[in-house]
């Protein structure tokens, strides 16, 4: 798919900590409009920490995050609230409210950020659930559906405000291989249909190789990015053994 010229997201010199422990430093990269961009690496390298700092769930120690040229990091409360309307978040497990139906879960951001009449809110919720293959499940509770359906319901909620960017945290975690690949196809469909920019935190190599346009790989030792680019090019280049090992699941012998 052809990308537009300007970056959807710019991250510059970001330093992130978890409590008193420094996790990442000097992290800089851009995400292009309508790109499927992965943040990858082994467990514990700071992928989710980086995501949380990008979307305002945590505060960077240093650096800046811009969305479509506007600083999210430096925005005041009112500006940040407006910017929050432009992206959706899909958490591990769907993060659904167990006491609410699927429809009620999807309507939450619409009730929070819009003044639409109730019938319009419910119409949008039904449309978003149908979009992810959950038509007819509007009145089900999270306990009544499978793990894969919870993931899709979480995605429906993330799409409620028609965002330009959607962030995923380990979307395939807990899914069987078939469910994970079905979710990958749904993510591709959303990007291709709506031109949505997609940012995914993952260590699922099949998903990375299957749908990523580009990726960055984080490293525990350097506390930063050790590779950036299309996954196939990083494998073919074989410049960094630990990157090739991660993406191919094969040990690379030096020399």
């Amino acid at each position: 798919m052809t990308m537009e010229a300007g970056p959807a997201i710019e991250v510059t010199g970001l330093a992130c900590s978890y409590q008193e422990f420094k996790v990442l430093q000097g992290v800089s990269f851009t995400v292009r409009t309508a790109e499927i961009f992965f943040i990858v690496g082994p467990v514990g390298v700071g992928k989710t920490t980086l995501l949380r700092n990008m979307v305002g769930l945590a505060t960077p120690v240093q650096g800046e995050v811009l969305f479509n040229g506007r600083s999210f990091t430096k925005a005041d409360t009112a500006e940040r609230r407006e910017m929050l309307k432009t992206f959706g978040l899909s958490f591990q497990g769907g993060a659904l409210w167990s006491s609410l139906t699927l429809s009620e879960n999807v309507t939450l951001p619409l009730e929070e950020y819009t003044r639409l009449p109730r019938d319009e809110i419910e119409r949008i919720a039904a449309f978003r659930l149908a979009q992810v293959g959950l038509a007819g499940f509007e009145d089900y509770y999270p306990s009544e559906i499978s793990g894969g359906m919870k993931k899709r319901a979480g995605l429906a909620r993330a799409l409620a405000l028609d965002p330009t960017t959607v962030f995923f945290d380990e979307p395939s975690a807990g899914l069987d291989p078939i469910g994970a690949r079905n979710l990958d196809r749904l993510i591709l469909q959303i990007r291709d249909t709506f031109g949505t920019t997609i940012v995914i935190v993952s260590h699922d190599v099949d998903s990375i190789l299957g749908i990523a346009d580009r990726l960055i790989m984080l490293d525990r030792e350097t506390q930063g990015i050790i590779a950036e680019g299309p996954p196939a090019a990083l494998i073919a280049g074989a410049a960094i053994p630990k990157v090739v090992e991660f993406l191919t699941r094969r040990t690379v012998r030096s020399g």
Side-chain angles (χ1 to χ4, degrees):
M1 181 172 181
T2 302
M3 307 297 171
E4 295 181 11
I9 305 170
E10 299 169 79
V11 176
T12 307
L14 214 65
C16 311
S17 63
Y18 181 73
Q19 296 179 351
E20 299 301 317
F21 179 70
K22 182 182 287 185
V23 180
L24 297 166
Q25 57 185 346
V27 173
S28 298
F29 62 93
T30 61
V31 180
R32 301 164 186 159
T33 300
E35 182 172 41
I36 298 181
F37 186 91
F38 273 69
I39 300 170
V40 312
V43 174
V45 296
K47 302 186 298 295
T48 296
T49 298
L50 174 57
L51 178 67
R52 289 175 57 84
N53 278 263
M54 289 175 66
V55 301
L57 295 175
T59 303
V61 177
Q62 290 179 323
E64 189 173 14
V65 180
L66 293 88
F67 291 96
N68 297 307
R70 298 174 60 194
S71 177
F72 183 70
T73 312
K74 297 178 180 179
D76 60 29
T77 302
E79 291 172 326
R80 182 169 288 202
R81 181 178 173 83
E82 285 301 309
M83 294 175 74
L84 283 170
K85 296 178 183 179
T86 68
F87 56 80
L89 304 172
S90 182
F91 299 99
Q92 289 190 46
L96 303 173
W97 291 95
S98 60
S99 61
L100 301 179
T101 65
L102 300 191
S103 179
E104 289 168 340
N105 268 279
V106 178
T107 64
L108 285 175
L110 294 162
E111 293 168 344
E112 173 70 18
Y113 289 103
T114 77
R115 295 184 178 180
L116 293 171
R118 188 68 203 176
D119 60 342
E120 180 66 8
I121 286 176
E122 292 178 353
R123 185 195 67 77
I124 294 172
F127 169 73
R128 291 305 184 188
L129 286 167
Q131 187 180 352
V132 300
L134 291 175
F137 289 88
E138 293 85 357
D139 295 328
Y140 280 63
Y141 287 89
S143 62
E144 298 175 318
I145 61 176
S146 69
M149 294 169 75
K150 290 176 185 176
K151 297 270 190 179
R152 285 186 276 149
L155 175 54
R157 185 176 60 191
L159 295 171
L161 293 170
D162 194 21
T164 58
T165 303
V166 177
F167 295 88
F168 293 84
D169 186 13
E170 299 285 3
S172 61
L175 297 181
D176 59 55
I178 294 175
R181 300 296 74 79
N182 286 339
L183 185 59
D184 285 346
R185 284 191 286 271
L186 179 58
I187 291 170
L188 274 173
Q189 181 184 13
I190 289 167
R191 190 280 299 272
D192 293 343
T193 302
F194 300 101
T196 308
T197 302
I198 307 287
V199 178
I200 303 175
V201 164
S202 181
H203 61 271
D204 181 345
V205 174
D206 290 331
S207 182
I208 295 164
L209 297 179
I211 66 172
D213 292 311
R214 288 190 306 127
L215 62 82
I216 56 170
M217 182 169 172
L218 303 180
D219 178 64
R220 186 180 293 105
E221 293 180 11
T222 63
Q223 296 182 321
I225 298 170
I226 59 168
E228 179 175 355
L234 294 175
I235 294 170
I240 306 173
K242 66 172 65 177
V243 175
V244 178
E245 289 176 358
F246 177 84
L247 292 174
T248 64
R249 304 187 184 97
R250 296 194 304 267
T251 300
V252 178
R253 296 179 180 177
S254 60

